[in-house]
């Protein structure tokens, strides 16, 4: 089944404890992206990647890192999480030509930073 | 920043009625996409309409685009309880980013 998977789905952590949220897609998509969703603010893009080893900042990149060593994986790294990073996170992927095609979203990761 | 703005923020209708929601944006677009999100879940793509298209249909969904007014509308006909969700428009302004608004929360009353 074609899908985008994220792990973990739920995570409660404490300020400053490094964490990684994994994202994997099995559709051979070139483009991958991370979003965060907060009440009243909609979805905001954190980082995106047009291809392996190519990443770029979205609208809210501060406090996050990403890597794209393989086509299928695009992990989101929070080196020192803070409470303002408590949010619902979505990974998405898209075929070649990125946003000119529909994006496929993962199920989301609900992160709470205490 | 560039993004679409959906209107209304919330909409409640009786099952079987039609639902219309609108999206406005401020600068020229390449295309505009509509997505649906069931509570707390990932977004699901509904329709993509290109800037040179004026109307597109998919099942009970009809999307229109008026580039002169910089607006789009999503019409859901013969609504069902399963249509209860949030709906987002996502204009693409010719770059690699897809920007989403805050969405329209649609509630279908059985």
């Amino acid at each position: 089944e074609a899908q985008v998977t994220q792990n973990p789905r739920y995570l409660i952590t404490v300020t400053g404890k490094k964490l990684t949220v994994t994202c994997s897609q099995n559709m051979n998509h070139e483009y991958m992206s991370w979003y965060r969703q907060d009440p009243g603010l909609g979805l905001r893009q954190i980082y995106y990647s047009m291809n392996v080893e190519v990443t770029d900042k979205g609208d809210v990149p501060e406090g996050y890192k990403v890597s794209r060593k393989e086509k299928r994986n695009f992990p989101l790294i929070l080196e020192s999480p803070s409470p303002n990073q408590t949010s619902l996170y979505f990974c998405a992927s898209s075929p070649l030509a990125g946003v000119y095609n529909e994006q496929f979203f993962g199920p989301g990761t609900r992160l709470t930073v205490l | 920043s560039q993004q679409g703005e959906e209107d209304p923020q919330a909409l409640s209708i009786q099952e079987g009625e039609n639902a219309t929601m609108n999206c406005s944006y401020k600068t020229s677009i390449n295309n505009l996409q509509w997505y649906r999100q069931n509570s707390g879940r990932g977004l699901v793509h509904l329709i993509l309409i290109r800037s040179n298209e004026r109307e597109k249909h998919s099942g009970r969904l009809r999307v229109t685009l008026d580039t002169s007014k910089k607006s789009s509308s999503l019409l859901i006909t013969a609504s069902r309880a399963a249509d209860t969700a949030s709906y987002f428009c996502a204009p693409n302004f010719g770059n690699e980013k897809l920007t989403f608004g805050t969405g329209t929360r649609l509630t279908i009353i059985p």
Side-chain angles (χ1 to χ4, degrees), chain A:
Chain A
E1 180 190 353
Q3 59 183 350
V4 178
T5 57
Q6 295 179 226
N7 282 293
R9 295 289 313 281
Y10 302 90
L11 179 60
I12 300 174
T13 189
V14 296
T15 298
K17 186 176 181 181
K18 181 179 178 179
L19 67 92
T20 299
V21 184
T22 64
C23 172
S24 183
Q25 51 92 6
N26 62 2
M27 296 168 280
N28 202 36
H29 285 169
E30 303 281 345
Y31 182 94
M32 297 186 75
S33 180
W34 276 103
Y35 298 88
R36 62 178 287 175
Q37 184 175 30
D38 303 288
L41 296 176
L43 276 87
R44 294 178 292 168
Q45 191 178 48
I46 303 170
Y47 269 95
Y48 64 94
S49 170
M50 295 289 285
N51 210 330
V52 175
E53 301 291 3
V54 180
T55 63
D56 211 342
K57 295 177 181 178
D59 294 319
V60 288
E62 295 77 21
Y64 304 95
K65 284 176 57 178
V66 293
S67 68
R68 188 90 182 273
K69 293 184 170 58
E70 306 166 279
K71 198 172 189 179
R72 64 183 292 126
N73 297 323
F74 191 45
L76 179 69
I77 303 157
L78 284 72
E79 298 246 335
S80 183
S82 62
N84 64 12
Q85 292 179 298
T86 292
S87 188
L88 180 57
Y89 291 86
F90 290 102
C91 179
S93 73
S94 181
L96 187 65
V99 296
Y100 301 106
N101 296 276
E102 66 176 281
Q103 292 203 16
F104 294 79
F105 281 78
T109 294
R110 189 168 292 280
L111 172 66
T112 302
V113 183
L114 302 174

Side-chain angles (χ1 to χ4, degrees), chain A residues 31 35 37 40-43 45 48 50 57-59 88 90 99-103 105-108 110, chain B residues 1 30-31 33 35 37 40-45 48 50 88 92 94-102:
Chain A
Y31 182 94
Y35 298 88
Q37 184 175 30
L41 296 176
L43 276 87
Q45 191 178 48
Y48 64 94
M50 295 289 285
K57 295 177 181 178
D59 294 319
L88 180 57
F90 290 102
V99 296
Y100 301 106
N101 296 276
E102 66 176 281
Q103 292 203 16
F105 281 78
R110 189 168 292 280
Chain B
S1 63
N30 267 3
N31 66 66
Q33 302 181 36
Y35 288 80
Q37 183 183 32
R41 298 194 169 190
L43 279 73
V44 174
H45 181 265
L48 183 155
R50 301 188 190 283
F88 295 85
N92 174 253
N95 53 23
E96 291 75 39
K97 298 199 285 187
L98 201 61
T99 53
F100 294 83
T102 55

